[in-house]
Amino acid sequence: MIPPQAYPAFSYDNPPELKELDTFDQIALSLRSVARPTSEDEYKDYNSQDSHSPGKMGALAWWLQDAQRQRWPRLALMAINILSIPPMSNKPERVFSGARRTVTWDRGQIEAETIELRECLKHWKRSGILNKFFESC
């Protein structure tokens, strides 16, 4: 425990000297001046306001703007993470369906590696990759 005499007593009569703000403190002060809702729930605050239209730029570009990232830091991060997920193509579904036609009831004991090799070769043949490979040999 620190004895009471070890630290100076605060007094309104003797205010501490005011120092000029360094660069870090100026940045911290400017970040506090961003208009933030009073609630701690950014999602509720976002939904309680008028709807925002990203216009022609798209939703991801809108959330990447500094204004949105400063005003809704956690919500913007979540939106960027979700909107950055690429849409699924139909190629994996097509390959999966093709593998089902390969593995019939009669061929149920084919090893997984053999199925994978066969499906890759079939895809490469259809797309012309094998032709390019054999031409270069």
Side-chain angles (χ1 to χ4, degrees):
M1 185 169 153
I2 301 174
Q5 301 86 0
Y7 55 91
F10 177 78
S11 168
Y12 285 104
D13 297 330
N14 305 348
E17 292 182 30
L18 297 175
K19 296 185 234 175
E20 188 173 329
L21 296 177
D22 62 357
T23 306
F24 177 78
D25 291 332
Q26 289 174 355
I27 292 171
L29 190 60
S30 71
L31 290 176
R32 284 190 209 140
S33 66
V34 174
R36 276 285 306 124
T38 56
S39 171
E40 288 297 315
D41 190 348
E42 291 179 17
Y43 181 72
K44 285 183 181 177
D45 293 337
Y46 177 80
N47 282 333
S48 68
Q49 295 186 355
D50 293 336
S51 63
H52 303 279
S53 174
K56 292 184 179 181
M57 74 173 71
L60 181 59
W62 189 83
W63 279 108
L64 286 170
Q65 292 177 341
D66 286 338
Q68 275 55 263
R69 294 180 82 174
Q70 287 179 358
R71 187 164 187 196
W72 319 99
R74 293 176 291 208
L75 190 59
L77 184 61
M78 184 178 77
I80 291 167
N81 285 340
I82 291 172
L83 294 171
S84 297
I85 298 171
M88 185 176 165
S89 71
N90 59 356
K91 270 190 178 180
E93 182 64 32
R94 204 174 310 129
V95 169
F96 182 77
S97 296
R100 180 62 193 120
R101 286 189 295 272
T102 301
V103 184
T104 62
W105 291 110
D106 299 338
R107 300 180 182 172
Q109 293 186 0
I110 296 176
E111 296 284 328
E113 291 177 13
T114 307
I115 296 170
E116 182 179 0
L117 289 171
R118 180 173 160 73
E119 291 304 311
C120 286
L121 285 171
K122 188 166 52 173
H123 174 71
W124 295 340
K125 174 121 174 72
R126 286 182 182 161
S127 63
I129 295 173
L130 285 180
N131 298 341
K132 294 174 187 175
F133 175 74
F134 287 125
E135 288 173 4
S136 65
C137 291

